[in-house]
Amino acid sequence: MEKAVGSMVSQIFENLVCLIRKFIFCIPNHIAFIMDGNRRYAKKRGLMEGVGHKVGFLALMSMLRCCHELGVRYVTVYAFSIDNFKRSPKEVQSLMELMQEKIDDLIKEESIVNRFGLRIYFIGNLKLLSEPVRLAAEKAMLATAKNSKAVLCICVAYTSTNEIVNAVKESIEEKWDEFCVLNASGAGYGLIKLGGSEGDEREQLIKLIDIEKHMYMAVAPEPDIIIRTSGEIHLSNFLLWQSAVCYLYSPSVLWPEISSQNRKDFVGRGLHVIDSDGTPTKHAFRDGIRLVDFLTITW
Ligand SMILES: CC(C)=CCC/C(C)=C/CC/C(C)=C/COP(=O)(O)OP(=O)(O)O
């Protein structure tokens, strides 16, 4: 009993800290990154494609340091989508080898992950990964399970549509008996009958089948902002369910160009990156997208 009260109090305290950080200091609780532009970075410099991804990994380390200094609690990165399996076998193999090598690096004692107390979750349809990569991912999740300062979600073999279909399937399986009762009493057509406005229907569906509980991303709250580098302004099947009320920001900088060497460190509490021509990226806000000046991100 005492333990339960203690954990409730610490949960309330933590939520309060998150709210203060978010609304007073304008620090997002959860930032998700689409790490785009690695091959273009390599091509621009006449390097082999794989080098772009290697520098991309260093950029990720730099960004994790940055988020740690800012006090961001959740970071999610899109590291490999299910669609990426359609790339040439050579590229897929080299990306998977890099992934395996870097996952092992992530859990070394002196790694940023351990120094900053990050708990790692691999998010996606992990069955699609080759055995060595899947085992490395499972090992990393286990090795960091006791870290509790912040969370790093690495999306691999992930697409949002796959996540949603999988969550619906799992939750219907779990609640199969209730669906049968609903249909037998004539309360529904097909599997379920929903009614009301669009928002109500989403809520009803959530209540009926607990869809969010079965999402791969159930380990993290919804992101406050998705940052996609390289100036692309689409989501590429990333966190579609979780981004319903999320901000999207798409600076033109290529992902590997984000680095602590380039970064002129913080301006106030802001993240700071350098654009591809070497100049600091300004507020390159695009028309039609709600953006994030309230986050004090200075580009
Ligand atoms: C362990 C771990 C988290 C490793 C991550 C390594 C890393 C940076 C992976 C990025 C993979 C990827 C397909 C990025 C998209 O850029 P792209 O290849 O599509 O480049 P482009 O946009 O220029 O075509």
Side-chain angles (χ1 to χ4, degrees):
M1 176 71 179
E2 234 170 67
K3 216 170 167 188
V5 172
S7 111
M8 206 170 80
V9 170
S10 87
Q11 186 64 47
I12 292 172
F13 179 74
E14 197 177 299
N15 290 345
L16 210 70
V17 171
C18 282
L19 285 175
I20 292 171
R21 261 208 220 110
K22 192 158 154 179
F23 294 108
I24 303 191
F25 297 109
C26 302
I27 303 298
N29 188 36
H30 184 176
I31 306 186
F33 293 99
I34 302 180
M35 306 184 286
D36 208 14
N38 299 282
R39 290 185 298 188
R40 275 167 281 172
Y41 171 87
K43 198 167 172 201
K44 212 165 97 179
R45 287 165 173 73
L47 304 166
M48 279 160 49
E49 264 179 17
V51 178
H53 293 115
K54 281 188 183 150
V55 184
F57 180 78
L58 296 178
L60 171 59
M61 295 304 102
S62 173
M63 190 46 84
L64 287 180
R65 185 175 296 116
C66 196
C67 288
H68 168 76
E69 287 166 16
L70 280 170
V72 176
R73 222 175 119 62
Y74 291 86
V75 173
T76 297
V77 292
Y78 204 3
F80 195 85
S81 87
I82 291 178
D83 294 329
N84 288 149
F85 282 114
K86 294 181 195 144
R87 292 187 177 184
S88 75
K90 192 168 154 239
E91 189 184 341
V92 172
Q93 193 188 342
S94 112
L95 268 167
M96 283 297 138
E97 280 166 11
L98 175 74
M99 197 78 75
Q100 194 187 335
E101 179 192 323
K102 295 304 175 194
I103 295 171
D104 289 341
D105 286 354
L106 281 178
I107 54 171
K108 287 190 177 144
E109 207 175 314
E110 73 283 8
S111 72
I112 278 186
V113 164
N114 284 320
R115 275 192 284 138
F116 297 164
L118 300 180
R119 177 168 189 173
I120 296 179
Y121 288 101
F122 281 87
I123 303 287
N125 190 349
L126 304 189
K127 291 193 292 267
L128 299 179
L129 296 171
S130 66
E131 193 171 319
V133 181
R134 200 182 61 250
L135 291 178
E138 281 163 4
K139 188 171 153 203
M141 287 195 275
L142 206 63
T144 60
K146 290 213 169 89
N147 290 350
S148 59
K149 294 225 169 74
V151 170
L152 170 63
C153 296
I154 303 176
C155 297
V156 283
Y158 175 90
T159 57
S160 212
T161 38
N162 174 266
E163 177 184 34
I164 294 168
V165 168
N166 184 63
V168 170
K169 259 172 34 190
E170 278 188 9
S171 34
I172 288 178
E173 268 163 29
E174 190 185 78
K175 296 226 172 172
W176 185 246
D177 292 346
E178 284 176 47
F179 283 122
C180 292
V181 172
L182 257 180
N183 285 328
S185 69
Y189 55 87
L191 270 179
I192 39 176
K193 184 180 179 193
L194 304 174
S197 69
E198 218 177 277
D200 289 345
E201 289 202 331
R202 184 181 146 125
E203 291 307 312
Q204 286 175 34
L205 186 64
I206 289 169
K207 262 196 213 124
L208 264 174
I209 62 172
D210 277 348
I211 187 169
E212 289 184 339
K213 189 178 91 182
H214 293 276
M215 293 281 187
Y216 303 134
M217 278 299 290
V219 295
E222 291 181 354
D224 302 292
I225 177 169
I226 294 178
I227 297 178
R228 178 172 192 152
T229 50
S230 90
E232 303 276 346
I233 46 171
H234 51 104
L235 285 172
S236 296
N237 216 338
F238 183 54
L239 305 184
L240 301 183
W241 180 275
Q242 297 83 354
S243 61
V245 289
C246 170
Y247 288 83
L248 174 64
Y249 186 46
S250 183
S252 58
V253 66
L254 303 174
W255 177 257
E257 287 162 349
I258 293 177
S259 80
S260 52
Q261 282 86 9
N262 279 343
R263 185 161 56 82
K264 273 201 186 155
D265 263 308
F266 303 109
V267 171
R269 295 179 299 271
L271 296 172
H272 210 75
V273 297
I274 300 293
D275 211 339
S276 37
D277 65 358
T279 55
T281 317
K282 294 280 179 289
H283 285 85
F285 294 164
R286 287 162 184 274
D287 289 343
I289 298 177
R290 294 191 302 154
L291 283 167
V292 290
D293 32 357
F294 79 91
L295 291 175
T296 68
I297 288 179
T298 313
W299 298 94

